Amino acid sequence: MSGNPQFTLAELAERFGLEAHGDPATVVDGVGTLSAATSSQFTFLSNPKYTSQLAESQAGIVVLHADALPLRTGAALVAKDPYVAYAKIAALFEKHAAAPRGIHASAVVSASARVHPTASIGPCCVVEDGAVIEEGAILGPHCTIGPGCVVGADCRLVARVTLVIRVTLGQRVLVHPGAVIGSDGFGIAFDRDHWVKLPQLGGVRIGDDCEIGANTTIDRGALEDTVLEEDVRLDNQIQIAHNVHIGAHTAMAGCSAVAGSAKIGRYCLIGGNAGILGHLELADRVTITAKSLVTASIREPGEYSSGSPLQENRQWRRNAARMKHLDEYARRLTALEKKDKGQ
């Protein structure tokens, strides 16, 4: 066994309310894949695609669905959702270096800022006028907290995170490196022969338990705030424009983008590289598949897609050429249908 924390089958079953099968004293101290885990590691099976690996798996404990239990000869934990159960158990083995309380000697903190004694301000951070860093918050190296920004209790800004101005983070918000929150929204007006910049006078409000991915940008509002409700999860390199409102428990995959003043409902799933045009509304529990472009509001829950699936290049070229004549073909078909009805 390694120096990692150790847990028995019985302990894990009791802690997470799972059904245990096999020797209750089976001990694990780490995590592995179904095919590569050792006898001292636990793993999971949630995708039926990998069921064939279960019988040969050397894992000490496998978290699985009841339907797969007959195929498992060793210790197992039965869960209604093995993937969720795995996520909770795996968190027991995640290691974070302890952050020292207080302000690092290289940090620059304004005299008018308020930093809780239990907060940690890392090397080369800047905390500007009127900013508030609440209890247990952690600012990793090179973070900048702009004027009037609030970092809620137990937030963690990993490194090089910038809160520009008028940003409020709720409690337990996790922000990954390079994220910029509260930057200018893209507001410009054309005056005869040049652009005039519109002032961005709003802010950003982010609810409790949100996660913001690396190099993601969230613009502040033009007048009212840009809002993320609680438990919103954003992947890396996402663009959220000014005055967007994202409902609670919505998750967005990498490189997706939302244009200004769009409103996304609760429990939505937005696939990677998807785009949502401005001033649109998405109902609760809408799924947008990867690379889709939303050009009209969606009023009903469900799964929506756009774009063309991958094809062999010669076939795609032929179809693309025919696409140019689609309107012509449709008109000719309509004319033929009318002629047939006339007969």
Side-chain angles (χ1 to χ4, degrees), residues 108-115 125-133 139 143-150 162-165:
V108 178
V109 178
S110 168
S112 66
R114 179 164 60 84
V115 179
C125 288
V126 176
V127 182
E128 299 189 37
D129 294 347
V132 177
I133 314 297
L139 273 56
C143 290
T144 298
I145 310 302
C149 293
V150 177
T162 300
L163 309 188
V164 179
I165 188 170

Tab-separated table of all heavy atoms in Angstrom, residues 108-115 125-133 139 143-150 162-165:
chain	number	residue	atom	x	y	z
A	108	VAL	N	0.394	42.533	-3.197
A	108	VAL	CA	0.088	43.958	-3.005
A	108	VAL	C	-1.394	44.064	-2.689
A	108	VAL	O	-2.241	43.729	-3.524
A	108	VAL	CB	0.431	44.776	-4.257
A	108	VAL	CG1	0.057	46.240	-4.046
A	108	VAL	CG2	1.903	44.639	-4.604
A	109	VAL	N	-1.707	44.511	-1.494
A	109	VAL	CA	-3.097	44.582	-1.030
A	109	VAL	C	-3.407	46.019	-0.626
A	109	VAL	O	-2.718	46.607	0.220
A	109	VAL	CB	-3.335	43.632	0.162
A	109	VAL	CG1	-4.769	43.747	0.660
A	109	VAL	CG2	-3.028	42.188	-0.244
A	110	SER	N	-4.441	46.576	-1.221
A	110	SER	CA	-4.840	47.941	-0.914
A	110	SER	C	-5.240	48.073	0.553
A	110	SER	O	-5.827	47.156	1.139
A	110	SER	CB	-6.011	48.362	-1.803
A	110	SER	OG	-6.599	49.566	-1.363
A	111	ALA	N	-4.961	49.231	1.102
A	111	ALA	CA	-5.338	49.495	2.499
A	111	ALA	C	-6.846	49.487	2.680
A	111	ALA	O	-7.344	49.245	3.785
A	111	ALA	CB	-4.754	50.840	2.932
A	112	SER	N	-7.595	49.756	1.599
A	112	SER	CA	-9.055	49.777	1.711
A	112	SER	C	-9.692	48.424	1.411
A	112	SER	O	-10.920	48.278	1.492
A	112	SER	CB	-9.639	50.832	0.767
A	112	SER	OG	-9.410	50.483	-0.587
A	113	ALA	N	-8.898	47.438	1.042
A	113	ALA	CA	-9.420	46.087	0.829
A	113	ALA	C	-9.636	45.400	2.176
A	113	ALA	O	-8.986	45.738	3.173
A	113	ALA	CB	-8.460	45.279	-0.030
A	114	ARG	N	-10.535	44.417	2.189
A	114	ARG	CA	-10.794	43.672	3.424
A	114	ARG	C	-10.499	42.199	3.167
A	114	ARG	O	-11.169	41.562	2.346
A	114	ARG	CB	-12.239	43.871	3.871
A	114	ARG	CG	-12.590	43.105	5.152
A	114	ARG	CD	-13.884	43.620	5.764
A	114	ARG	NE	-15.018	43.488	4.878
A	114	ARG	CZ	-15.760	42.387	4.733
A	114	ARG	NH1	-15.424	41.288	5.420
A	114	ARG	NH2	-16.790	42.363	3.923
A	115	VAL	N	-9.514	41.667	3.887
A	115	VAL	CA	-9.094	40.279	3.725
A	115	VAL	C	-9.319	39.546	5.038
A	115	VAL	O	-8.770	39.931	6.078
A	115	VAL	CB	-7.612	40.184	3.310
A	115	VAL	CG1	-7.190	38.725	3.180
A	115	VAL	CG2	-7.372	40.935	1.998
A	125	CYS	N	0.084	38.327	-5.893
A	125	CYS	CA	-1.314	38.722	-6.089
A	125	CYS	C	-1.471	40.228	-5.905
A	125	CYS	O	-0.690	40.869	-5.200
A	125	CYS	CB	-2.224	37.988	-5.101
A	125	CYS	SG	-2.449	36.238	-5.459
A	126	VAL	N	-2.526	40.767	-6.518
A	126	VAL	CA	-2.890	42.165	-6.337
A	126	VAL	C	-4.356	42.225	-5.933
A	126	VAL	O	-5.218	41.666	-6.609
A	126	VAL	CB	-2.671	42.980	-7.626
A	126	VAL	CG1	-3.158	44.417	-7.446
A	126	VAL	CG2	-1.204	42.960	-8.029
A	127	VAL	N	-4.621	42.903	-4.811
A	127	VAL	CA	-5.989	43.088	-4.330
A	127	VAL	C	-6.229	44.592	-4.258
A	127	VAL	O	-5.611	45.294	-3.457
A	127	VAL	CB	-6.206	42.416	-2.961
A	127	VAL	CG1	-7.652	42.592	-2.517
A	127	VAL	CG2	-5.836	40.933	-3.026
A	128	GLU	N	-7.140	45.095	-5.086
A	128	GLU	CA	-7.288	46.533	-5.259
A	128	GLU	C	-8.318	47.134	-4.314
A	128	GLU	O	-8.915	46.445	-3.476
A	128	GLU	CB	-7.597	46.828	-6.724
A	128	GLU	CG	-6.486	46.385	-7.666
A	128	GLU	CD	-6.686	46.878	-9.084
A	128	GLU	OE1	-7.170	48.008	-9.282
A	128	GLU	OE2	-6.350	46.122	-10.014
A	129	ASP	N	-8.530	48.429	-4.464
A	129	ASP	CA	-9.354	49.210	-3.544
A	129	ASP	C	-10.753	48.625	-3.375
A	129	ASP	O	-11.440	48.316	-4.363
A	129	ASP	CB	-9.494	50.651	-4.051
A	129	ASP	CG	-8.186	51.415	-4.035
A	129	ASP	OD1	-7.223	50.929	-3.408
A	129	ASP	OD2	-8.131	52.498	-4.657
A	130	GLY	N	-11.176	48.480	-2.125
A	130	GLY	CA	-12.534	48.086	-1.819
A	130	GLY	C	-12.855	46.625	-2.049
A	130	GLY	O	-14.001	46.202	-1.854
A	131	ALA	N	-11.878	45.847	-2.472
A	131	ALA	CA	-12.131	44.423	-2.695
A	131	ALA	C	-12.301	43.704	-1.358
A	131	ALA	O	-11.764	44.125	-0.330
A	131	ALA	CB	-10.990	43.796	-3.495
A	132	VAL	N	-13.055	42.601	-1.394
A	132	VAL	CA	-13.322	41.814	-0.187
A	132	VAL	C	-12.956	40.359	-0.452
A	132	VAL	O	-13.424	39.758	-1.425
A	132	VAL	CB	-14.802	41.918	0.229
A	132	VAL	CG1	-15.072	41.021	1.448
A	132	VAL	CG2	-15.188	43.357	0.515
A	133	ILE	N	-12.121	39.794	0.407
A	133	ILE	CA	-11.743	38.381	0.333
A	133	ILE	C	-12.272	37.726	1.601
A	133	ILE	O	-11.797	38.003	2.700
A	133	ILE	CB	-10.212	38.196	0.228
A	133	ILE	CG1	-9.616	39.149	-0.812
A	133	ILE	CG2	-9.895	36.736	-0.077
A	133	ILE	CD1	-10.106	38.934	-2.220
A	139	LEU	N	-6.374	32.519	-2.922
A	139	LEU	CA	-5.918	33.144	-4.157
A	139	LEU	C	-4.542	32.582	-4.480
A	139	LEU	O	-3.580	32.816	-3.741
A	139	LEU	CB	-5.832	34.661	-4.019
A	139	LEU	CG	-7.091	35.493	-4.305
A	139	LEU	CD1	-8.266	35.057	-3.458
A	139	LEU	CD2	-6.808	36.971	-4.113
A	143	CYS	N	-2.851	36.245	-9.005
A	143	CYS	CA	-4.250	36.623	-9.195
A	143	CYS	C	-4.407	38.129	-8.986
A	143	CYS	O	-3.705	38.728	-8.168
A	143	CYS	CB	-5.158	35.872	-8.220
A	143	CYS	SG	-5.318	34.106	-8.579
A	144	THR	N	-5.355	38.728	-9.712
A	144	THR	CA	-5.663	40.150	-9.563
A	144	THR	C	-7.140	40.298	-9.240
A	144	THR	O	-7.996	39.825	-9.996
A	144	THR	CB	-5.331	40.926	-10.846
A	144	THR	OG1	-3.936	40.822	-11.116
A	144	THR	CG2	-5.706	42.396	-10.698
A	145	ILE	N	-7.423	40.954	-8.130
A	145	ILE	CA	-8.798	41.192	-7.695
A	145	ILE	C	-9.048	42.690	-7.795
A	145	ILE	O	-8.483	43.483	-7.043
A	145	ILE	CB	-9.028	40.698	-6.259
A	145	ILE	CG1	-8.518	39.259	-6.094
A	145	ILE	CG2	-10.506	40.817	-5.892
A	145	ILE	CD1	-9.151	38.257	-7.036
A	146	GLY	N	-9.878	43.080	-8.743
A	146	GLY	CA	-10.070	44.486	-9.055
A	146	GLY	C	-10.939	45.222	-8.064
A	146	GLY	O	-11.468	44.647	-7.101
A	147	PRO	N	-11.109	46.522	-8.289
A	147	PRO	CA	-11.857	47.375	-7.364
A	147	PRO	C	-13.285	46.879	-7.132
A	147	PRO	O	-14.006	46.566	-8.071
A	147	PRO	CB	-11.865	48.735	-8.069
A	147	PRO	CG	-10.707	48.692	-9.003
A	147	PRO	CD	-10.590	47.266	-9.446
A	148	GLY	N	-13.662	46.799	-5.879
A	148	GLY	CA	-15.029	46.452	-5.518
A	148	GLY	C	-15.417	45.003	-5.740
A	148	GLY	O	-16.588	44.643	-5.585
A	149	CYS	N	-14.477	44.153	-6.078
A	149	CYS	CA	-14.799	42.742	-6.305
A	149	CYS	C	-14.896	41.995	-4.974
A	149	CYS	O	-14.235	42.358	-3.993
A	149	CYS	CB	-13.750	42.082	-7.192
A	149	CYS	SG	-13.734	42.702	-8.887
A	150	VAL	N	-15.703	40.952	-4.958
A	150	VAL	CA	-15.897	40.143	-3.751
A	150	VAL	C	-15.604	38.686	-4.077
A	150	VAL	O	-16.190	38.128	-5.011
A	150	VAL	CB	-17.335	40.276	-3.214
A	150	VAL	CG1	-17.528	39.365	-1.991
A	150	VAL	CG2	-17.653	41.719	-2.863
A	162	THR	N	-8.111	36.757	-13.085
A	162	THR	CA	-8.338	38.198	-13.010
A	162	THR	C	-9.821	38.482	-12.841
A	162	THR	O	-10.645	38.076	-13.668
A	162	THR	CB	-7.836	38.900	-14.289
A	162	THR	OG1	-6.435	38.657	-14.449
A	162	THR	CG2	-8.071	40.397	-14.215
A	163	LEU	N	-10.157	39.157	-11.750
A	163	LEU	CA	-11.494	39.732	-11.572
A	163	LEU	C	-11.335	41.225	-11.834
A	163	LEU	O	-10.657	41.918	-11.075
A	163	LEU	CB	-12.031	39.482	-10.170
A	163	LEU	CG	-12.006	38.039	-9.639
A	163	LEU	CD1	-12.747	37.952	-8.313
A	163	LEU	CD2	-12.599	37.058	-10.643
A	164	VAL	N	-11.923	41.727	-12.905
A	164	VAL	CA	-11.591	43.073	-13.368
A	164	VAL	C	-12.239	44.143	-12.503
A	164	VAL	O	-11.552	44.949	-11.870
A	164	VAL	CB	-11.975	43.250	-14.847
A	164	VAL	CG1	-11.639	44.668	-15.322
A	164	VAL	CG2	-11.226	42.229	-15.710
A	165	ILE	N	-13.562	44.182	-12.461
A	165	ILE	CA	-14.249	45.199	-11.673
A	165	ILE	C	-15.704	44.767	-11.475
A	165	ILE	O	-16.305	44.137	-12.356
A	165	ILE	CB	-14.192	46.588	-12.368
A	165	ILE	CG1	-14.736	47.693	-11.456
A	165	ILE	CG2	-14.937	46.575	-13.700
A	165	ILE	CD1	-14.484	49.094	-11.990
